[in-house]
Amino acid sequence: MVMMPYEKDVAKVVFTLTILLMLGNCLAKTLTCNFVFGDSLVEVGNNNYIVTLSRANYVPNGIDFGRPTGRFTNGRTIVDIVGKYLFLHLLSQRQELGLKEFTPPYLAPTTTGPLLLKGVNYASGGGGILNQTGKIFVGRINMDAQLDNFANTKQDIISQIGLPATQDLLSGALFTTVIGSNDFLNNYLTPVISIVERKLVSPEAFIRELISRFRGQLKRLYYMGARKIIVANLGPIGCIPYQRDVNPSSGGNCVASTNHLVQNFNSQLKGLLKELTNTLEGSTFVYANVNRIVEDIVQNYKSYGFTNGDSACCYLAGPHGGLVPCGPPSKVCYDTSKYVFWDPFHPSESANMIVAKRLLEGGNEDISPMNVRTLLKS
């Protein structure tokens, strides 16, 4: 039987809609997919597939996830938790159900075909806003390269469902970026090897360079189709176990000079996001004040049910367990749920759960101009 031209067109439309509905992707506002960009705070395994010193696909990482996956924590990342919560809230209002699958890493061989329509995670441990950031790890995927990878994904999606459907999909999708910490920790503040740079480049000039580069990257993301973009600010990295231990003059307290740099960056980042929302038609750039949330957790850890707010649960050396990354030789605390920090650099799953909940439901002091739940309805 020969099909008429119009019948072929109808068949194509039906086929496309069937794929999208079956996958439960972001064609409509009632369901959403999430494209994630960032560093080790939200990585889910991309570095497993590159030659790098920044990798977490070994024990005891993932001890509460069931296995090591490449996540730099004992369990789930913030974006894992947000994704699970969103699926539940939008479908059944039952949080314990959650997503059947997590947003997959871009470099995994299985992240192809229809799976791309559910969202992809491009984050890479050691990656930064600047291309030179993280070079001490050899391999890492910086923000520019992550955007290149997203461009490839977009072309793959277009080949599956066509350009108009792809544009609809991306306009309803959630885009999340969590990046910038490495630009300080593994670039401007790297012990010994950054001394010369700090003499030549003032903190103010370095931050201006970061903001300028990030502006271009976020605009590129918009021009590739992103409209709902959550940008996390930098947490109080002066409070992580690593910073406490490599700065003994702080007396074991949060390192004020590091946190001051972070606050300066965050202040300019907030202004940048307002600027982009005002100038890029149809965009909403959301400022996720992770710094405020984590600082609150660290300062008031007992009120959140933690017994330790300054040391690594996975530790090997240093007064706060901050001198050696988590790995097979490390020791692990008795109860991972009682520690704010999993390792010298990263929060525990329990801390991630608190951050995720406040980003989803918090007021403007936590996330502005709207929280994640409200953003998805916009």
Side-chain angles (χ1 to χ4, degrees):
M1 178 178 179
V2 178
M3 296 182 66
M4 299 298 292
Y6 74 88
E7 292 178 316
K8 293 181 180 179
D9 292 338
V10 171
K12 289 180 181 179
V13 171
V14 172
F15 176 74
T16 298
L17 290 176
T18 300
I19 291 178
L20 297 178
L21 292 173
M22 287 179 63
L23 291 174
N25 57 36
C26 45
L27 184 64
K29 290 184 178 180
T30 53
L31 288 172
T32 188
C33 59
N34 194 6
F35 294 95
V36 180
F37 304 82
D39 53 31
S40 58
L41 290 169
V42 289
E43 193 198 333
V44 295
N46 281 306
N47 282 16
N48 298 352
Y49 303 96
I50 64 175
V51 178
T52 178
L53 298 176
S54 179
R55 189 176 286 180
N57 59 337
Y58 45 73
V59 295
N61 293 297
I63 192 172
D64 296 312
F65 196 91
R67 59 185 175 86
T69 60
R71 290 169 170 82
F72 289 77
T73 186
N74 57 302
R76 296 168 296 169
T77 70
I78 294 171
V79 292
D80 288 330
I81 298 164
V82 168
K84 179 176 181 179
Y85 186 98
L86 290 175
F87 184 85
L88 145 68
H89 172 69
L90 295 170
L91 288 184
S92 67
Q93 303 295 313
R94 293 175 58 192
Q95 184 171 354
E96 63 274 15
L97 290 182
L99 285 170
K100 295 180 179 180
E101 298 176 2
F102 294 102
T103 303
Y106 171 78
L107 290 180
T110 53
T111 307
T112 59
L115 191 61
L116 301 176
L117 305 177
K118 295 184 177 183
V120 179
N121 187 310
Y122 303 90
S124 170
I129 295 170
L130 302 178
N131 290 338
Q132 67 266 33
T133 289
K135 61 183 179 182
I136 61 173
F137 300 118
V138 186
R140 75 281 184 205
I141 309 168
N142 55 49
M143 187 63 177
D144 283 335
Q146 291 181 36
L147 291 171
D148 291 341
N149 290 339
F150 172 67
N152 293 334
T153 296
K154 180 181 177 180
Q155 289 303 313
D156 289 341
I157 294 175
I158 291 173
S159 69
Q160 293 183 63
I161 63 175
L163 180 58
T166 298
Q167 291 172 330
D168 287 343
L169 184 149
L170 296 181
S171 67
L174 192 64
F175 289 79
T176 304
T177 67
V178 182
I179 200 164
S181 295
N182 286 314
D183 292 290
F184 289 94
L185 294 174
N186 296 302
N187 187 336
Y188 195 70
L189 297 177
T190 306
V192 183
I193 63 177
S194 67
I195 292 176
V196 174
E197 180 181 6
R198 275 181 276 164
K199 288 181 178 179
L200 297 175
V201 181
S202 69
E204 294 77 15
F206 181 74
I207 290 172
R208 283 197 301 270
E209 181 184 6
L210 279 180
I211 293 295
S212 176
R213 181 66 66 85
F214 204 24
R215 175 185 286 105
Q217 292 165 343
L218 291 174
K219 289 177 73 172
R220 183 185 176 195
L221 189 59
Y222 168 84
Y223 288 121
M224 286 194 287
R227 293 296 180 267
K228 300 178 180 181
I229 306 170
I230 298 173
V231 181
N233 69 5
L234 301 189
I237 57 179
C239 297
I240 64 176
Y242 165 75
Q243 277 285 295
R244 293 178 192 260
D245 283 356
V246 298
N247 292 279
S249 61
S250 68
N253 299 314
C254 296
V255 181
S257 59
T258 300
N259 282 344
H260 180 67
L261 286 176
V262 166
Q263 291 291 357
N264 287 343
F265 173 84
N266 287 344
S267 177
Q268 294 187 45
L269 175 64
K270 189 172 186 179
L272 170 62
L273 300 186
K274 289 182 179 179
E275 168 199 319
L276 294 176
T277 297
N278 290 334
T279 58
L280 298 178
E281 183 179 358
S283 70
T284 302
F285 286 85
V286 175
Y287 180 74
N289 197 348
V290 173
N291 186 285
R292 179 179 186 271
I293 300 171
V294 175
E295 186 175 65
D296 180 40
I297 296 171
V298 170
Q299 292 178 349
N300 304 290
Y301 64 93
K302 289 184 180 179
S303 67
Y304 286 99
F306 296 104
T307 59
N308 190 297
D310 58 19
S311 298
C313 172
C314 181
Y315 65 97
L316 185 60
H320 297 87
L323 295 181
V324 179
C326 182
S330 301
K331 300 177 182 179
V332 178
C333 64
Y334 177 74
D335 187 346
T336 59
S337 70
K338 298 299 183 182
Y339 275 63
V340 173
F341 295 101
W342 162 244
D343 65 9
F345 307 95
H346 307 96
S348 65
E349 181 186 70
S350 294
N352 284 337
M353 290 179 68
I354 296 170
V355 175
K357 182 175 177 61
R358 288 175 63 168
L359 295 181
L360 283 159
E361 303 176 340
N364 283 344
E365 290 185 338
D366 287 342
I367 180 168
S368 61
M370 65 189 75
N371 59 34
V372 176
R373 182 182 292 181
T374 304
L375 175 64
L376 291 173
K377 297 177 181 178
S378 65

